[in-house]
Amino acid sequence: MTLAAGRRNKRITIEARATADDGYGGSIETWTPFSRPWVSVYYGSGSEQRAAAQEGGSQAASFEMLSNSKTRAISVIEHRIQFDGGIWDITAKQELGANEGIRVTAIRASV
């Protein structure tokens, strides 16, 4: 499977979990930019969108990007996506072929 270049027409920011000094001798969780790949975005099907609306409005999407050292290092626990004015929590990551692409599935975090 080869990812078509024309379809990767959206830019996302993948953020990595980090800690920072809170100024009182403790630490707080924060997020720092990790990578900015071009992706193809596939939103959930109509039935998934209706189910999400009934369950509180969460939206699911898959993001397909080229495979490189950064995208292969994405972790469900240590990374999240910033896209389309929102934060997306990563729920799954899948390799597409031998070093061809990565598919990340995420749910838009409720505000």
Side-chain angles (χ1 to χ4, degrees):
M1 171 183 200
T2 302
L3 294 178
R7 188 68 182 115
R8 290 187 313 276
N9 58 359
K10 304 289 185 199
R11 194 92 187 241
I12 65 172
T13 299
I14 298 171
E15 298 179 326
R17 184 184 310 270
T19 56
D21 182 18
D22 67 1
Y24 299 101
S27 61
I28 58 172
E29 181 179 283
T30 186
W31 296 89
T32 60
F34 177 74
S35 180
R36 293 210 52 212
W38 288 96
V39 300
S40 300
V41 181
Y42 300 96
Y43 292 98
S45 67
S47 61
E48 288 173 332
Q49 290 176 1
R50 285 188 296 278
Q54 292 174 350
E55 295 172 9
S58 60
Q59 180 180 22
S62 293
F63 301 87
E64 291 185 359
M65 61 203 81
L66 291 177
S67 178
N68 60 43
S69 61
K70 290 273 192 177
T71 60
R72 285 190 301 272
I74 294 170
S75 161
V76 173
I77 297 170
E78 297 297 324
H79 295 93
R80 70 181 188 181
I81 295 170
Q82 190 177 74
F83 171 70
D84 196 24
I87 300 298
W88 297 71
D89 295 323
I90 298 173
T91 58
K93 181 182 115 180
Q94 174 185 11
E95 290 196 26
L96 304 173
N99 291 327
E100 289 183 21
I102 302 289
R103 178 184 297 132
V104 174
T105 304
I107 295 178
R108 189 176 190 138
S110 56
V111 179

